[in-house]
Amino acid sequence: MESKSSDENCNNPNSELHPSKLIMASHFLRALFRIQHTTTDSSFAGRSRKIRRAAYASMAYSVGTKRAWSSALLRKLRSRSRLRFPNPRRAKYAALPGRPRVARPQQREMDQAEALRELVPGGTSMDDCRLLEETADYIRCLSTQVRLMQAIMESVSF
Amino acid sequence: MDPPSLMPRLPEMCRFPMLGMPPPELVPRVGRIGGDASVEESTVTEQCGGSKGRRRRRDPPSSGGATEDESSKFVSTSSGNELAEAEAKRLKAIKSTDGNDNIKSEAEASSGICNKLAAQNPQTTEPPKQDYIHVRARRGQATDSHSLSERARREKISERMKILQDLVPGCNKVIGKASVLDEIINYIQALQHQVEFLSMKLEAVNSPMNTTIEVFPSKDFSSQRYDTTSSLAYSSQTREYEQGSGTEWLHMQVGGAFERVT
């Protein structure tokens, strides 16, 4: 895996191990062009959904199958493109109904671990140790993707 | 002096599960001084595991007295729990604090203590055999690997938590696993929201590229974008505000070219 480009602030040697911004940029831009040329007459929300899905897809595609979260994300995206489900992600963020929030530290930690599992793709089938590792990689890639999209915005609009 | 400094260490040691050991197996091991280090270390951790729930009771009596007195007192009261904690505390007292994870030195210290105890109170080991077996029990290899692996697992988890703390901005100030996890969860949610928001922005900006109206929206977007980047990465209120105003601006400009489907 290539390290981050030098213009990024690398404050941690551990954060070097993820796909470079250029690889993610190439995938994402290619997907953006594809969206722009093929779906010219769809609605605003539909196109933004497509772009968002393209962002996650390019992110996962750049990482490949080296990580559990990227494989799970790719699987989910491919199955979703076939089934055409609306995104149920927002519902997951809410607390589970019918489960009283106990203030005990163990219960709180378990709640947090479950919340983390729902956030990170593929996290439901991981133990805590692996979950933390995948979370770290996912955060790295997500932040890289966000920075990439901001850079695209910057370059497109001026 | 010892108890307050040792108390925070006890939970770390006393999380090992307690496994029952057959009585006759253990008594001969007590006398061994430099014997199995691995066997001896299991003693301490096993008794610690047994005494996990009863740690609090131990505090008042342990405040005074020499360790030997404590041990003899607890031995006479025939409660393996307290002796376990006494032994654990003595272990901590003997060992230096930095090498706490070194099980070998713990084992040696515990072996020394156990032998001292055995010499002093040989008769008391017999009657409360069930409890004291846990106290002085030499853990078998099974418990050994169990607690060892659990300790290794916990170290791995804490190491990964440190990596995560470095990744998430503002996580260094928080102390405590739960708060760090909270921050991580918030950060991931914020990043995902930002991806959504940026995708909407990108879509809104890319489409009028085909038309000639690109200067005005871009100016507005650039000011909003700086707001996004300058504020905390996960302040969702400002983002939603910008999101709404940006798209409405475009509605005004392009005049219905974008149909916002809600």
Side-chain angles (χ1 to χ4, degrees):
Chain A
M1 295 224 195
E2 301 175 27
S3 60
K4 280 165 83 169
S5 47
S6 54
D7 55 330
E8 302 290 318
N9 48 342
C10 313
N11 46 356
N12 193 3
N14 287 323
S15 59
E16 302 281 342
L17 307 170
H18 67 84
S20 94
K21 208 174 169 188
L22 295 176
I23 296 181
M24 287 174 66
S26 72
H27 287 137
F28 184 53
L29 285 171
R30 220 173 296 164
L32 270 185
F33 283 146
R34 219 182 313 141
I35 291 177
Q36 202 174 30
H37 290 306
T38 55
T39 65
T40 45
D41 51 353
S42 54
S43 66
F44 176 80
R47 286 168 60 98
S48 67
R49 264 202 303 270
K50 278 200 174 68
I51 293 186
R52 197 201 64 216
R53 200 183 311 149
Y56 282 112
S58 69
M59 186 169 75
Y61 193 65
S62 320
V63 173
T65 47
K66 299 189 182 86
R67 287 281 168 183
W69 68 263
S70 62
S71 332
L73 187 53
L74 281 172
R75 240 180 292 137
K76 187 168 62 170
L77 286 168
R78 279 170 196 163
S79 70
R80 188 175 289 161
S81 66
R82 279 185 230 126
L83 297 174
R84 289 245 163 212
F85 276 158
N87 190 4
R89 226 173 349 128
R90 297 226 181 254
K92 285 191 198 170
Y93 291 165
L96 290 177
R99 207 164 73 152
R101 284 256 164 179
V102 187
R104 288 185 328 221
Q106 300 102 349
Q107 184 66 35
R108 181 156 173 239
E109 277 200 18
M110 279 172 50
D111 287 340
Q112 287 169 332
E114 248 192 68
L116 198 54
R117 281 209 176 87
E118 288 167 3
L119 277 181
V120 176
T124 45
S125 55
M126 277 190 229
D127 53 341
D128 287 340
C129 198
R130 191 97 190 279
L131 179 68
L132 291 180
E133 195 181 328
E134 299 289 323
T135 305
D137 199 66
Y138 187 58
I139 288 183
R140 271 180 231 139
C141 280
L142 256 189
S143 50
T144 309
Q145 179 72 31
V146 164
R147 272 187 281 233
L148 168 70
M149 287 168 89
Q150 282 169 347
I152 291 179
M153 283 286 312
E154 207 172 316
S155 63
V156 156
S157 58
F158 68 97
Chain B
M1 171 194 52
D2 277 348
S5 62
L6 291 174
M7 274 323 287
R9 298 249 173 211
L10 264 181
E12 178 185 315
M13 266 195 74
C14 295
R15 260 188 226 132
F16 299 121
M18 186 178 78
L19 296 185
M21 294 286 288
E25 212 178 311
L26 302 169
V27 174
R29 290 190 203 162
V30 171
R32 231 184 290 163
I33 295 186
D36 274 359
S38 60
V39 173
E40 286 163 355
E41 65 201 42
S42 59
T43 312
V44 180
T45 50
E46 187 177 312
Q47 65 206 18
C48 268
S51 63
K52 177 168 86 165
R54 297 155 281 213
R55 202 177 19 210
R56 306 270 138 120
R57 199 157 42 100
R58 174 112 178 40
D59 293 345
S62 75
S63 49
T67 53
E68 266 89 338
D69 294 344
E70 284 175 326
S71 68
S72 55
K73 178 168 63 163
F74 291 131
V75 159
S76 57
T77 55
S78 80
S79 65
N81 322 324
E82 289 158 320
L83 184 54
E85 282 156 2
E87 284 219 70
K89 290 197 173 178
R90 247 173 278 115
L91 264 188
K92 305 291 184 181
I94 287 178
K95 269 186 42 59
S96 56
T97 52
D98 60 335
N100 201 17
D101 293 329
N102 189 355
I103 299 185
K104 284 276 164 49
S105 40
E106 281 180 22
E108 284 159 13
S110 74
S111 70
I113 295 167
C114 291
N115 295 320
K116 225 188 318 178
L117 279 176
Q120 287 172 3
N121 309 311
Q123 72 280 2
T124 52
T125 57
E126 309 313 317
K129 189 149 272 201
Q130 284 77 12
D131 293 339
Y132 276 59
I133 276 156
H134 299 309
V135 168
R136 243 175 248 131
R138 300 300 187 235
R139 188 181 36 168
Q141 295 302 322
T143 324
D144 192 5
S145 59
H146 206 281
S147 55
L148 266 177
S149 63
E150 199 172 309
R151 168 166 289 177
R153 172 184 161 268
R154 227 167 325 124
E155 277 177 14
K156 261 208 293 190
I157 286 186
S158 67
E159 178 188 320
R160 273 153 202 185
M161 292 283 289
K162 274 202 208 96
I163 295 178
L164 276 169
Q165 263 188 312
D166 292 333
L167 271 179
V168 178
C171 226
N172 301 323
K173 299 157 191 155
V174 194
I175 302 178
K177 195 164 152 187
S179 324
V180 169
L181 277 178
D182 272 335
E183 287 292 314
I184 291 172
I185 290 174
N186 283 338
Y187 189 60
I188 295 184
Q189 283 177 347
L191 281 178
Q192 285 173 339
H193 287 188
Q194 255 193 320
V195 167
E196 255 189 73
F197 176 49
L198 280 171
S199 69
M200 289 181 86
K201 262 189 171 179
L202 270 174
E203 196 270 323
V205 164
N206 270 341
S207 324
M209 287 293 281
N210 301 329
T211 73
T212 51
I213 306 172
E214 47 190 74
V215 182
F216 296 106
S218 67
K219 275 205 195 129
D220 216 45
F221 277 130
S222 56
S223 61
Q224 289 169 358
R225 192 181 7 97
Y226 283 130
D227 284 344
T228 311
T229 52
S230 61
S231 67
L232 277 180
Y234 38 103
S235 58
S236 49
Q237 300 100 351
T238 50
R239 233 176 320 151
E240 276 157 26
Y241 163 75
E242 290 161 359
Q243 194 172 341
S245 64
T247 48
E248 278 156 27
W249 211 99
L250 274 177
H251 281 191
M252 282 160 34
Q253 287 300 306
V254 184
F258 301 102
E259 290 164 22
R260 185 93 181 263
V261 179
T262 53

